[in-house]
Amino acid sequence: MTESRLRTFVTLADTGSVRATAARLYVTESAVSASVAALARDLGVALVERAGRGVRLTPAGQAYAGYARGVLGLLEQGRAAARGEDDPARGRLRLASVTTAADQLVPGLLASFLDRWPEVDLALEVGPSSRVWAALSEHEADLVLAGRPPAGVPVTVLAVRANDLVVVSAPKVALRFTLGTTPWVMREPGSGIRATAEAYLADRDADPPQLVLGSNGAVIAGAAAGLGAALVSRDAVGAELADGRLVVADVPGMPLRRPWHAVAGAAPTATTRLFAEHLLGRPGWRLP
């Protein structure tokens, strides 16, 4: 049960295709099939089965995939910890960020951090809230920039920053805005801010039409174009509010206080703590 076999299996689980797995890992298709077959023999259960022209995980394979990801992530975290303890300024940092934070915070933070510590081996993954928290729990990320961590996940909150959510719309939409009938422009499923918007509307028994546009930038552009109202971070729409393309709607319970959190696992690496120290030296960030 080698690291190579685990990585092949996880990649196959992601792609659903032996050919795509071989291409991603730069090996032959026969090597992929042999690796997964050997892993299945070690476990004594079938991990994959045919599904049309591709493959899919069996129930046993689905159960094992989560553990395999965790093992691979923990191995990588161990490498990062060893390198960081030897010299934090030359260690590895795997950063995961929700899309909104990546738009608002990450570019400036990374630029200033790498300007100060250029030899840190930095990797960044951007995705919805569900994905970045999964990356942390599966040891695939050393630090997450997102909202409040989910309950029950063993984490270390290293820094926080204020973040207010407001409902915005184009001025022409604001003139006839009503909570129950004005369309809402929404993020994709799995987004934390979408879940917050849905919970806000449900708490007020409001069920307006919804238009899903996906990314934070698309939601802001859609609201400015007059497609409807949107729940966004005030910091993300500073320019649009200043030039009048968007206005803040006067709705009950707003703004919502949803601070940004910089969150590591239960045992942050030395390089992770180096990044946290950098955060605490930037405007707006503070200890939790």
Side-chain angles (χ1 to χ4, degrees):
M1 194 175 295
T2 64
E3 181 179 352
S4 174
R5 288 177 180 174
L6 290 175
R7 197 169 302 282
T8 299
F9 171 65
V10 167
T11 305
L12 183 62
D14 290 339
T15 63
S17 164
V18 172
R19 176 176 296 178
T21 299
R24 183 177 295 186
L25 298 179
Y26 301 101
V27 297
T28 64
E29 293 180 34
S30 60
V32 170
S33 298
S35 183
V36 174
L39 187 59
R41 285 195 301 272
D42 285 345
L43 294 170
V45 294
L47 296 174
V48 298
E49 59 188 6
R50 287 288 179 186
R53 295 184 178 181
V55 297
R56 65 186 174 202
L57 300 187
T58 63
Q62 293 173 5
Y64 188 66
Y67 291 96
R69 293 182 198 279
V71 169
L72 290 172
L74 197 56
L75 287 171
E76 188 59 38
Q77 187 176 10
R79 295 188 186 100
R83 291 172 60 182
E85 287 298 329
D86 182 65
D87 185 353
R90 294 185 179 182
R92 178 167 172 78
L93 176 65
R94 300 169 300 163
L95 181 64
S97 170
V98 294
T99 307
T100 308
D103 290 343
Q104 297 173 224
L105 306 174
V106 169
L109 289 175
L110 295 193
S112 57
F113 179 73
L114 291 175
D115 183 61
R116 190 173 178 185
W117 290 288
E119 294 187 80
V120 168
D121 181 8
L122 185 76
L124 172 65
E125 177 182 353
V126 177
S129 178
S130 57
R131 172 56 202 148
V132 300
W133 292 122
L136 186 67
S137 65
E138 294 169 358
H139 308 287
E140 295 177 342
D142 302 307
L143 186 76
V144 163
L145 291 176
R148 187 180 303 277
V153 178
V155 299
T156 305
V157 180
L158 298 175
V160 295
R161 185 181 188 276
N163 178 46
D164 287 351
L165 302 183
V166 293
V167 177
V168 299
S169 69
K172 63 181 181 181
V173 175
L175 292 174
R176 57 181 187 275
F177 178 86
T178 61
L179 195 58
T181 61
T182 299
W184 277 52
V185 186
M186 291 287 204
R187 289 283 304 276
E188 76 284 359
S191 160
I193 201 166
R194 172 175 173 149
T196 300
E198 291 175 336
Y200 172 82
L201 292 170
D203 285 344
R204 286 155 182 82
D205 295 322
D207 187 22
Q210 296 184 13
L211 177 64
V212 179
L213 291 186
S215 72
N216 194 55
V219 166
I220 293 171
L227 295 178
L231 182 68
V232 298
S233 168
R234 189 190 294 272
D235 291 340
V237 292
E240 290 82 0
L241 293 175
D243 63 22
R245 283 179 288 163
L246 289 173
V247 296
V248 176
D250 183 15
V251 295
M254 292 290 172
L256 298 175
R257 313 296 184 186
R258 295 294 186 271
W260 294 119
H261 290 64
V263 183
T269 67
T271 304
T272 301
R273 291 194 176 278
L274 188 69
F275 187 82
E277 291 171 9
H278 177 70
L279 280 183
L280 293 172
R282 304 290 294 174
W285 289 92
R286 61 178 177 81
L287 288 169

